[in-house]
Amino acid sequence: TSGRYFNCALMTGGAVKCWGVNSSGQLGNGGIANQTTPVDVSGLPNTVEAIAAGGFHTCALVGAGAIRCWGANSVGQLGNGRDERQPTPVDVIGMASGATAVDAGISHSCAVASGGAARCWGANGSGQLGDGSTVDRAAPVDVSGLASGVTAIAAGGSHNCVLTGSGSA
């Protein structure tokens, strides 16, 4: 996956390595120095199933469906209830298990949660979190009208799309 000026790779065996610009800790190695070769993301188990890079943050789907994110966090895009950057992975509030997918936009993140619900967090100036507001959220909120049946989610710059089990988008 590629963010703005950085890349991350999901390795065989479930580990994650990242490289490139690291001004917000988006490489997840505990520092903010740029890296010209891949470095290990600190504190992730070797059970990562998927990764997603946003503008300056990264998220991972881990093990039994937990979501962990790291990097820039000025508008809550890490979902940990705070607004300061985190150079190592942090738990997303309410996403400790059951998630099946994760994606990241420029400054927001979304996941398919337990039961097929769509949940998003972070920047919301264009209503991209789908909760009927334009208020940034530092913790996941339910996407209105998508409490179940979602099978995939894709986060764009300031928008999202989902695929439902019935095949509609």
Side-chain angles (χ1 to χ4, degrees), residues 98-100 112-118 146-150:
T100 58
V112 177
S114 180
L146 295 174
S148 65
V150 176

Side-chain angles (χ1 to χ4, degrees), residues 79-139:
N80 66 336
R82 304 178 68 121
D83 65 359
E84 61 273 335
R85 73 177 175 209
Q86 298 291 322
T88 57
V90 293
D91 295 327
V92 174
I93 294 172
M95 303 294 290
S97 65
T100 58
V102 65
D103 206 3
I106 291 175
S107 295
H108 74 286
S109 308
C110 293
V112 177
S114 180
R119 304 195 76 205
C120 297
W121 57 95
N124 196 27
S126 298
Q128 61 265 45
L129 302 186
D131 67 346
S133 79
T134 55
V135 176
D136 298 342
R137 306 290 185 174

Side-chain angles (χ1 to χ4, degrees), residues 57-71:
H57 74 289
T58 312
C59 293
L61 174 64
V62 180
I67 305 290
R68 304 192 76 203
C69 300
W70 59 94

